[in-house]
Amino acid sequence: MNQDKIFTLFRAHPKICTDTRKIQSGDLFFALKGDRFDGNKFAVQALEKGAGHVVMDNPEFYQADDPRMILVPDSLKALQELALQYRRTFQVPFLGLTGSNGKTTTKELIISVLQQQKKVAGTKGNFNNHIGVPLTLLDLPPDTEIALIEMGTNQPGDIQELTEIAEPSMGLITNIGYAHLERLLSLKGVQQEKGALYRSVKARGGMLFLNLSDPHLVDEIGDYDRVISYGTPEADFHLQIAKEELGGTDMDVYSRFWTGPERFHLQLSGSYNALNALAAIAVGHHFGLSVGDMQQGLAAYQSTNNRSQLLQRARYDIWLDAYNANPSSMRAAIGHACERKDKKVALILGDMYELGPESEALHAELGTYINDFQPVMTVGVGEQMQAALQQISSPTAWFVSAEAAQQEIVEKLGEADFILLKGSRAMALESLLEVL
């Protein structure tokens, strides 16, 4: 049976590749298909570049006389099945993580904490979809002690599918918010989709980490009792911000497991990042890390990849948070930026994607929200942001794209000395750093 053969080949040479540009000698190449490409066309090229074998599903390019070619009904399903087979060789905790906002930052904070004492491995970057999760699993080192698997979604059923591949024994959902409404349709739809992670873990009798400040997650937990909670004074862990500056946060964390509060420092600002760090503390405590280890792990973490990055360009302090955006995360970032009373704050905001029929209304609501703060300038980038700007009484400017904004953006910002850059990834707002 070909699936057994694939598994045997992988155990002998545990390296997977799906991109012929990155092939190394002996790799097992999976020829995947998408809307605009067919990896089967590159099967011969993959072998010429050194791949040991090719798993493919298009008979048109299959050469039966070449034993290095393995024909399967569906290359993606074969990859996912291989990932599940390999995952089942591990007898260690697998923590699944999802949420509308903050899941990648939370994942990175958890890893930074756990790696103080544990051999932890997991999702790199944003490899959190139906291809990324299998590749993440297949990249786990054999000596992994804790696996952390981030799970993303943009349509109903995605999270359930990923739980069937990764079989998480623990689950953490950061929050339920307005994201991916184009296909999930409503907040209830988001809860139903994200909640699939909790339901999967509950079916296995595993441990759940609960943000008690989110009523949607409380509702999803029900009467399940294998829970560690955080986020409110009634929870197992809660916090108070002791000191907050643009470049970092000091927070006092209280726990029913401790005799008194413990001080933690983050190289991140924003109450939502503090909550993400609290989740990491709850996970770290569960795995037996000392307060000192967790303090060290959180203090060491530095944000990258356009997420909550504090930068300085010329006379500007710039808060770059342009990896993703939805109404929930946008409000949190704007509110936090506008707390800078000693700064002249300007907002550069890009369109929020995947909001479906509610997109115009949600952008307009964002404009109304901004009126509570009166920044010195709000720059909208993208067609949808026009609906937000129409609601704003303070100065505004609009550009159809980041590229179009480059010529005039500095002039439009006027006397501003603090800038928030936030929008959906496709808006590429980080390109404006070149002119700022």
Side-chain angles (χ1 to χ4, degrees), residues 133-380:
V133 166
L135 292 176
T136 293
L137 293 168
L138 292 166
D139 195 42
L140 293 176
D143 62 352
T144 297
E145 293 177 328
I146 303 170
L148 187 53
I149 310 299
E150 181 181 332
M151 301 179 181
T153 180
N154 61 18
Q155 62 185 356
D158 281 353
I159 298 296
Q160 177 62 33
E161 178 184 4
L162 297 179
T163 65
E164 291 171 358
I165 298 169
E167 293 188 340
S169 57
M170 308 174 122
L172 190 156
I173 304 175
T174 57
N175 47 53
I176 302 296
Y178 289 96
H180 306 297
L181 297 185
E182 187 173 20
R183 294 182 178 175
L184 300 181
L185 302 180
S186 66
L187 205 58
K188 190 67 178 175
V190 177
Q191 176 183 331
Q192 176 67 20
E193 173 61 14
K194 299 289 187 182
L197 173 57
Y198 276 174
R199 295 191 294 274
S200 172
V201 174
K202 285 197 282 187
R204 295 182 178 86
M207 180 65 71
L208 299 178
F209 296 91
L210 169 64
N211 173 6
L212 203 60
S213 66
D214 190 318
H216 302 287
L217 295 179
V218 175
D219 179 57
E220 197 64 44
I221 288 285
D223 59 0
Y224 192 72
D225 61 2
R226 293 207 66 200
V227 176
I228 295 175
S229 61
Y230 65 93
T232 70
E234 298 77 27
D236 296 324
F237 295 87
H238 73 280
L239 67 87
Q240 289 182 348
I241 302 295
K243 180 181 178 182
E244 184 177 26
E245 299 175 337
L246 189 57
T249 304
D250 289 335
M251 61 185 199
D252 291 325
V253 176
Y254 299 78
S255 173
R256 67 180 180 86
F257 304 109
W258 304 337
T259 57
E262 299 286 353
R263 176 66 58 90
F264 290 80
H265 176 73
L266 297 175
Q267 296 188 67
L268 296 170
S269 60
S271 58
Y272 49 92
N273 278 322
L275 189 61
N276 295 337
L278 191 63
I281 292 169
V283 174
H285 174 83
H286 175 74
F287 283 109
L289 272 74
S290 69
V291 170
D293 287 332
M294 293 189 288
Q295 289 169 329
Q296 184 172 332
L298 290 179
Y301 176 73
Q302 291 183 302
S303 180
T304 58
N305 201 18
N306 301 336
R307 289 183 170 94
S308 297
Q309 288 181 258
L310 179 63
L311 309 170
Q312 287 189 311
R313 295 289 190 274
R315 64 187 177 86
Y316 301 117
D317 289 331
I318 300 175
W319 190 22
L320 177 63
D321 196 12
Y323 190 84
N324 212 340
N326 58 52
S328 305
S329 65
M330 191 73 91
R331 285 184 177 228
I334 291 168
H336 180 57
C338 291
E339 290 174 355
R340 309 293 140 191
K341 303 303 181 185
D342 58 332
K343 295 289 186 179
K344 296 175 181 177
V345 177
L347 310 175
I348 302 177
L349 308 177
D351 283 355
M352 300 178 288
Y353 281 24
E354 297 184 28
L355 296 181
E358 298 298 313
S359 182
E360 182 175 352
L362 290 170
H363 280 82
E365 288 177 10
L366 186 67
T368 302
Y369 177 74
I370 290 170
N371 273 334
D372 293 339
F373 301 101
Q374 298 291 305
V376 298
M377 170 60 69
T378 302
V379 178

